[in-house]
Amino acid sequence: MMDDYEEEIRADSPRRIERKPLIDSRRNPQDRLYFVFLIFAFLGLASLLPWNFFITAKKYFDYKLRNTSLPSNVSYDDPDSETQDQVTFESYLSIVSNGFNMLFSFITVLIVRTVSVKTRIISSSVFILAVFIATTVLVKMNTDSWQDSFLVLTLVTAALMSGAQSVLTSSVLGLSAIFPPIYSQSAMNGQAAGGTFSAVVSILTHWTGGDAITSAFIYFLIAIVATVLAIVAYIALHFLNFAKHHMDIQGKIVLDTKDIQNVHTEYSGLGDQHKSRSSFYWSIFKKIWLYCLSLTIVFLVTLSIFPSVCSLVKAQDDSNKIWDEYFVLIVCFLLFNIGDFLGRLFTFVCKFPGNHRPVFLLVLTILRIGFIPLLMLCNAQPRYHLPVIFDQDFYPIIFILTMGLSNGYLGTLCMSFGPIHAGENEAEVAGIMLAIAMTLGLALGSFLSILMVKLI
C-alpha cells in the first residue's frame, strides 16, 4: 500500500501536464489580473538587477583604483595610464563572483528540502540589501589613501553578494517551477528585463554627462530600491489565493514524501537514508539532464564572447564621433539585452521544438557555437592574430542581436521544459538544478572569454 502511494505522488507524464489548462477555474483559484505572473517577473528582474548595476559601474571602479598622481589633463581611464589594479579588476571580479556563484548554487540544491524557500529568499534578499547599502556608503567616501584595502573589500563584497544572489536566483526559479510553465518564463523574462533596464540607465547617465561617482550612486540606489520592493512582492505572494494554492499543494506533497522516507528510514537505517537522498536527486537529474546540458551550453557560448569580445568591437566609421562614442553601449550592451528580452518573450507564442524533443533542442544550442568565430572576426580591437573579415558595422549588429534572441529563446525553453518532466514533488529541485546548469554555463563561459580575447 505504501509503495502504491509513493508511486502515485512520483508518477507524472510530461505530455499529460502540458495538456492541462494553465488555470482550471472549476477547481483552482485564478491569477486575477496576472498579479502572481507579474510578481515572478519582478522577482526575476530584482534577482539579477543588483549584480547588473554592480558590473555596469566599471567607470566608478576605474576611478576608485586610478593613479592619483596623474596630472589634471590626463583621464583616469586613459589606456596608457591605467594602473595594474584597473587592468586586473574585472578578471578578479569574474573569478570570485563565478566561484561563489557556483558554490552557493550547489549549497542551495542541498538545503532545498531542509531550509524553506521563504527563509532562502528573504534572508538572501536582506543580505544583498545590506551589502548594497554598504557599497553605496563607500561611493561617497574618499578611498584614495587606501586603494588596496578598497580593492580587497570590494572583491570580498562581490563574492558574498554573488553567493547571496545565487541563493536568491535559484530559489526564485525553483519556486516558479512549482507553478505552470509560464511562471518560469515570467521569471526568466524578468531577468532579461533587468539587463535591458541597466543598459538603458547606463546610456542615460552617459548621455547626461554624469561623472563616475554620481552614476554609481544612482546605480546602487536603484538596486537598493528594487531589492526592497522584491521583498515586499515576495511577501505579497502569500496573500494571493492563486499563489497560496500552488505553494500549499507543493508543501503537502513534500511533507507526504518526507513521511514515506521517514518510514523507510525507520526500517532501513541511517546508511539507506543517505542513499535515499542521493537517489532522489539522481532520479530528478536523469529526467532533466538534457535540458541541463542545453542550458549550460547556451550560457557558455554567450559568456565566452559577451561582453568580453563584443565590448571590444569598434565602429568602422570613426568619423561620426557620436556613433563612435555610443557604439559599444548601444550595439553591445543595449542591443544584446533587447534581443535577449524579446527572445524570452517569444516563448509565450512559440515553443518550437517542444518539450518532447530535448535532443533537437540540444542540437540548436550547439549550433550557437558559430557565434564565437563570427564575432571574433568582427572589428574587435586590439587584435594580434586574427584578421577582420566582417568589416562593416551591420555585421556585429546582426550577430549580437541574433545571439541575444537565441540566448533568451533557447534558455527560457530549457528552463520551462525541464520541470515538466519532473514529478510534482520534484519540480522545485528540478528548477534549482536547471539554475545550477545556467550558473555553470556562466562560469565556464567567463573563464573561456579570457582565452577568446587572447586569440583575437
Side-chain angles (χ1 to χ4, degrees):
M1 195 72 178
M2 178 77 66
D3 291 336
D4 290 341
Y5 179 65
E6 187 173 1
E7 282 297 318
E8 181 182 342
I9 65 170
R10 288 187 178 181
D12 237 325
S13 167
R15 293 179 184 273
R16 186 171 71 249
I17 291 178
E18 192 176 34
R19 287 200 300 267
K20 287 181 181 178
L22 294 178
I23 301 173
D24 188 347
S25 59
R26 295 171 301 175
R27 294 178 298 171
N28 302 338
Q30 296 186 15
D31 185 7
R32 298 186 182 280
L33 299 178
Y34 295 97
F35 277 148
V36 176
F37 180 86
L38 293 175
I39 285 176
F40 273 110
F42 186 76
L43 289 175
L45 181 149
S47 68
L48 288 186
L49 189 64
W51 183 252
N52 284 331
F53 276 128
F54 195 84
I55 60 176
T56 299
K58 182 182 183 301
K59 285 188 175 295
Y60 160 72
F61 292 113
D62 281 344
Y63 177 81
K64 286 286 191 178
L65 301 172
R66 73 194 186 284
N67 182 352
T68 56
S69 63
L70 287 175
S72 58
N73 61 337
V74 178
S75 175
Y76 64 88
D77 58 353
D78 186 336
D80 296 328
S81 306
E82 286 185 322
T83 65
Q84 187 61 29
D85 286 345
Q86 285 177 308
V87 173
T88 58
F89 175 74
E90 285 191 306
S91 298
Y92 289 146
L93 183 64
S94 177
I95 292 171
V96 299
S97 63
N98 284 302
F100 273 74
N101 211 339
M102 280 301 304
L103 174 63
F104 278 83
S105 291
F106 283 111
I107 291 175
T108 304
V109 78
L110 292 176
I111 65 173
V112 65
R113 299 175 69 79
T114 54
V115 180
S116 70
V117 65
K118 180 187 294 185
T119 300
R120 283 181 271 127
I121 289 179
I122 296 294
S123 60
S124 58
S125 296
V126 170
F127 188 85
I128 291 173
L129 180 63
V131 167
F132 260 90
I133 291 174
T135 304
T136 306
V137 171
L138 280 175
V139 172
K140 294 298 185 179
M141 294 178 64
N142 187 339
T143 59
D144 291 351
S145 60
W146 45 286
Q147 286 183 329
D148 290 339
S149 298
F150 173 79
L151 174 61
V152 172
L153 181 60
T154 300
L155 292 176
V156 170
T157 298
L160 295 176
M161 183 174 61
S162 295
Q165 178 204 286
S166 179
V167 174
L168 176 60
T169 304
S170 300
S171 298
V172 167
L173 293 176
L175 178 63
S176 69
I178 71 176
F179 288 77
I182 63 165
Y183 292 85
S184 292
Q185 294 170 250
S186 177
M188 292 289 285
N189 273 277
Q191 292 182 350
T196 304
F197 179 67
S198 61
V200 170
V201 173
S202 175
I203 292 173
L204 289 176
T205 54
H206 184 82
W207 176 61
T208 55
D211 60 88
I213 297 296
T214 303
S215 297
F217 186 78
I218 293 172
Y219 297 158
F220 299 157
L221 196 59
I222 293 174
I224 290 172
V225 173
T227 304
V228 171
L229 292 177
I231 295 173
V232 174
Y234 172 71
I235 293 173
L237 278 180
H238 295 79
F239 295 92
L240 298 172
N241 289 333
F242 179 78
K244 287 196 296 182
H245 170 76
H246 284 277
M247 290 189 289
D248 287 347
I249 289 177
Q250 178 67 10
K252 290 175 183 177
I253 291 172
V254 171
L255 286 174
D256 289 342
T257 307
K258 284 182 177 179
D259 289 340
I260 293 170
Q261 290 175 342
N262 289 337
V263 171
H264 285 317
T265 301
E266 183 179 347
Y267 291 99
S268 311
L270 188 59
D272 286 346
Q273 182 184 14
H274 292 298
K275 183 178 178 181
S276 175
R277 180 177 297 179
S278 61
S279 298
F280 174 74
Y281 289 119
W282 178 243
S283 67
I284 298 173
F285 182 73
K286 285 192 297 184
K287 296 174 184 177
I288 65 171
W289 74 271
L290 279 172
Y291 295 107
C292 289
L293 179 59
S294 297
L295 203 58
T296 298
I297 294 174
V298 167
F299 287 94
L300 185 152
V301 170
T302 299
L303 267 290
S304 66
I305 46 177
F306 176 86
S308 58
V309 173
C310 296
S311 62
L312 297 176
V313 177
K314 307 299 181 185
Q316 289 285 346
D317 182 16
D318 55 7
S319 61
N320 187 330
K321 297 301 182 183
I322 295 179
W323 176 240
D324 186 54
E325 182 180 358
Y326 285 90
F327 184 83
V328 173
L329 288 175
I330 295 175
V331 175
C332 174
F333 293 102
L334 182 60
L335 202 59
F336 173 83
N337 281 295
I338 288 177
D340 186 38
F341 181 58
L342 292 177
R344 299 183 191 214
L345 279 180
F346 192 58
T347 60
F348 288 108
V349 295
C350 177
K351 291 180 172 57
F352 177 83
N355 76 351
H356 57 289
R357 290 189 285 185
V359 176
F360 192 10
L361 186 61
L362 176 61
V363 171
L364 293 178
T365 64
I366 293 174
L367 290 176
R368 293 184 74 251
I369 295 175
F371 284 116
I372 296 177
L374 289 176
L375 282 158
M376 290 177 68
L377 294 174
C378 289
N379 185 35
Q381 299 295 336
R383 61 194 310 117
Y384 305 100
H385 306 292
L386 299 177
V388 176
I389 302 297
F390 304 107
D391 57 356
Q392 299 296 322
D393 288 346
F394 69 84
Y395 285 118
I397 291 175
I398 294 173
F399 296 156
I400 291 174
L401 179 60
T402 309
M403 183 176 68
L405 286 166
S406 60
N407 182 84
Y409 181 73
L410 296 175
T412 304
L413 287 185
C414 293
M415 198 70 219
S416 57
F417 286 165
I420 291 177
H421 288 262
E424 288 183 338
N425 64 307
E426 303 167 337
E428 184 183 4
V429 177
I432 294 176
M433 284 184 174
L434 288 161
I436 290 176
M438 181 170 63
T439 302
L440 179 62
L442 294 170
L444 293 176
S446 297
F447 287 117
L448 189 60
S449 67
I450 300 172
L451 176 61
M452 297 298 105
V453 171
K454 292 183 180 295
L455 289 177
I456 295 176

